[in-house]
Each structure stands twice: as C-alpha cells, then as structure tokens.
Amino acid sequence: MDWKPHAERLAAEVTPPVSRWRDAVAGTPRHFFVPRWWEPAGGGTWALCDGSADEAAWMRAAYSDTSLVTRVGPLHADNASPEGQPAGLPTSSSTMPGLAVRMLRHGLLYDGADLGLIGTGSGGSTALAVHRLGDKHVTALDVDPYLTEAATARLASLGMSPRVVTCDASGPLPGDFDRIVSMVALRSLAGVLAALRPGGRLVTTLARMNVIITADKEADGVARGVVEWDRAGFMSVRSGADYPPGASELFAAVRGREGEDVTEGRYPVLNVAEAWDVRAMLELAAPGVETYYEEHGEQRTAWLVHRDGSWARASATWIQPPTVHQGGPRRLWTVLERIRHRLNAEGGLPIYGSRVHITPDGACHFTRGGWSASYG
C-alpha cells in the first residue's frame, strides 16, 4: 500500500512549507495507527469502519484533517464486532493531524526538551513528537492500558520507542518535564503543574471550555501565560473505562417538565456546545453545567442541566424568542442570557486573549481588563 503520497498531501494541507512539522506529518503512516474506527450511524449510535475492507476509504479517512473516533464508551474499534452499533460518548480518538500539530507548536518545543504528552490515543500524535524530539525525550501518557499497549506496539513496529505510561492524568504524573502538552481537556491542573520543571511550558485545554492555555512555570511555582487566540475541542480527561453518568438522568427527568419559572427568552435558541466562547464563559459562571440541543425542522430546543438539580429548557421556531422553562436552585438560562447580553453589548467576550495564572493547587485564574474569573 503506497501511503506516502497521501501523507505528503496531508502535510501540505496542515503545515506551511518551512515548518519543521511538515516532514513529521509526511513521514507518519497515520492509517497504521487507525486500522478501524467509528463513524456516527444516527440516533446516537456508531458504525464500525474497517480499513482493510476498503483501502481507498481507509486512505481518505486516515489522511484527512479530521479526528477519527476509535473508542465509544468502553468499546475500542480494534476489538468490536461489525454487527454491533454501540451508543455512548467517544472516549478516545486519533486527533486531527492539524490540531495535533497546532498543540505541539504552541509548546515551543526545542531540541533536547523532555515532553510529556497527555492522551496517547492511537499513538499518531506521539509519532509526530518522536519525529521532532527523538525517542528518549518523549513520554506519552494515557489512562487506558489497551491504548498504551497498542500504541507501544505500533510505534515499535515503526522503529520508535518512546516511553509510554498508563496513568490517570487527573492525578500525579510519573516524572518531570520541560514541556507538557495535553491532547485531552483537563479538569485540574495541580498534577501537571507539579510535573513541570521550572521554566517549563504547559499547553492544554480545559474540560467544557474550548480554550487553549499556554503557561510557563516560574520560580515561585505559579505558571503564567495566556488564553491563546486559538481554540480546540478535546474529550475530557477520564479516570475510568467510561465517563460517569453526569447529569443525563436529570436531563431525562426534566426533558419535557413544566418549569417553576416560565418566561420568554430575550435571544434565539442557541446550541451552546457549538458556540465555544459562550460555552467557556458559561462554564466559568456555572461550573459543571451540561448542555443538550435538538433540531426538528425549524424547531430548536436547548437544555441546560446541573447536578445540583438546576435545569432550563428553551424552545422556539428558528430565531423567534423562545419559551423558557427553568427549575431547581439556580436559573441557568438567566445566567446564559447575561453572557449573551455581554456579547451583544461589547461585540465579544473576554475569555479569549485573557491573561492566566495557575496556582500550585491547580486553580486557573483569568483576567482581562476589569474582568476576572477562576476555574477549578
């Protein structure tokens, strides 16, 4: 199978001609790391794709700048039956190559730097890092023993032998590093900050916030940096085989319930998960809130739910003012509308481009102008 022309085309798409990452992308057989993957099948289910059954489709998928889902719930595509169509959330993937390169570039890697790469996944991003830094300077970490075993074997077959470790990135990390780049969205930064050497650089996103943070650790143990004018969506870090149920049971219970407060909303119904700057600000204002959204023709409905029992549902036709039902201890839609009002009034939200400092307890503090907020 001649994969090199496909990899060279992908490299030209996701890197500029003078980039040191171009040869890494062009020299990485991504299809080798993703022999099977999942694609949406409708109704919240997933269909298995087997590369060996259709090599042309395999090349198109593997050498496109898209993420390929490799694990749904606890079921990895490598071990799945073609007849099954699992339902659930993706729990691992092969990150889109352009995004992997962007995250690594934000790390400002240099020759001889020791890199901790969180989220081994398929192993493809680890291969890119090894191309740049060499085996002995790359440590890849993942919570899933199957993922680390499979990635180790696939990397070894390509002559690569980085350190690959099974560990929970929400706790202490094994070792210390000059650079830590996370390909999963973290909830607490205490463990990664402790594993960062003084002068070291952290690049990560945060759970439920599609922001890229870059911060450099200083002598006082605090990391200071910025929220980049860039954004990325990664799966949240997990500690077990699957994500906990979250607020899904509450969502089912309140899906069609009459609210304690019923009002007319000020703004059209919004798919909050896709409005990344709004979603980030909502997480800071109401940490842990989960979002759901449906469209049926021109009818739009959005839900906000929280484990504390708060919930909101807004429904309307197209861009008409929605009917809003709210219940529980907090009025979540009211919180959301305050954020949207600020967006309309100021033309933007302060999260992107803000300054950030991360304290040793893992809390992340944002400031921009007169605005401030904290996460964790």
Side-chain angles (χ1 to χ4, degrees):
M1 183 186 305
D2 188 8
W3 56 270
K4 290 187 176 181
H6 301 284
E8 289 169 355
R9 174 187 48 76
L10 176 61
E13 179 183 346
V14 303
T15 65
V18 297
S19 172
R20 287 181 292 185
W21 293 102
R22 176 161 288 201
D23 287 347
V25 177
T28 298
R30 188 184 184 212
H31 73 284
F32 188 74
F33 292 95
V34 195
R36 305 173 102 201
W37 67 98
W38 297 107
E39 290 189 352
T45 63
W46 299 81
L48 182 66
C49 298
D50 190 333
S52 63
D54 186 341
E55 289 189 356
W58 192 10
M59 292 298 100
R60 284 194 301 272
Y63 296 100
S64 61
D65 191 25
T66 57
S67 292
L68 299 177
V69 173
T70 54
R71 194 173 183 274
V72 173
L75 183 59
H76 198 285
D78 287 354
N79 307 316
S81 166
E83 292 76 26
Q85 286 196 339
L89 296 175
T91 49
S92 189
S93 70
S94 174
T95 300
M96 59 190 298
L99 176 56
V101 168
R102 278 165 44 214
M103 294 295 286
L104 291 165
R105 289 181 67 189
H106 279 304
L108 303 181
L109 306 184
Y110 59 89
D111 293 345
D114 291 324
L115 170 67
L117 188 62
I118 300 174
T120 307
S122 68
S125 298
T126 305
L128 297 178
V130 169
H131 267 285
R132 173 67 183 86
L133 295 173
D135 293 320
K136 68 179 182 178
H137 292 293
V138 177
T139 298
L141 308 111
D142 205 292
V143 71
D144 190 318
Y146 175 76
L147 295 178
T148 55
E149 290 168 9
T152 298
R154 287 166 179 160
L155 290 161
S157 68
L158 297 176
M160 297 180 172
S161 55
R163 183 183 178 214
V164 183
V165 180
T166 303
C167 75
D168 183 351
S170 62
L173 302 188
D176 57 296
F177 308 96
D178 300 303
R179 297 290 188 264
I180 295 177
V181 176
S182 181
M183 301 289 182
V184 296
L186 300 177
R187 292 191 180 91
S188 172
L189 302 182
V192 293
L193 189 59
L196 198 62
R197 295 168 184 161
R201 185 173 180 85
L202 169 66
V203 182
T204 190
T205 58
L206 299 174
R208 302 188 183 92
M209 294 180 65
N210 300 101
V211 298
I212 298 175
I213 291 172
T214 59
D216 302 308
K217 187 174 180 179
E218 300 180 1
D220 60 1
V222 174
R224 294 176 173 86
V226 298
V227 174
E228 296 285 347
W229 288 101
D230 193 0
R231 55 191 71 190
F234 283 105
M235 299 173 194
S236 294
V237 66
R238 55 186 170 85
S239 296
D242 200 352
Y243 295 113
S248 57
E249 291 183 2
L250 175 61
F251 169 62
V254 304
R255 182 182 177 92
R257 182 186 296 177
E258 186 76 10
E260 299 164 14
D261 287 346
V262 182
T263 58
E264 182 178 88
R266 183 172 187 176
Y267 301 107
V269 175
L270 177 70
N271 184 357
V272 178
E274 297 298 324
W276 285 4
D277 50 350
V278 173
R279 181 67 183 95
M281 293 290 288
L282 180 61
E283 178 63 19
L284 293 173
V289 67
E290 297 188 20
T291 69
Y292 301 84
Y293 178 80
E294 290 181 0
E295 280 188 19
H296 298 285
E298 291 193 341
Q299 187 69 20
R300 298 174 167 185
T301 305
W303 292 262
L304 304 176
V305 296
H306 196 278
R307 290 189 186 90
D308 69 3
S310 303
W311 64 276
R313 180 181 71 255
S315 186
T317 302
W318 191 226
I319 59 172
Q320 297 302 311
T323 300
V324 180
H325 293 252
Q326 301 191 82
R330 287 187 288 177
R331 299 296 177 253
L332 296 177
W333 200 263
T334 303
V335 174
L336 175 64
E337 291 218 323
R338 290 194 194 104
I339 295 167
R340 298 182 70 183
H341 182 68
R342 181 171 194 160
L343 175 62
N344 283 358
E346 300 179 5
L349 292 169
I351 182 63
Y352 289 100
S354 62
R355 304 296 302 178
V356 59
H357 73 274
I358 307 164
T359 47
D361 62 358
C364 196
H365 305 278
F366 304 94
T367 57
R368 187 177 175 198
W371 172 81
S372 64
S374 295
Y375 177 99

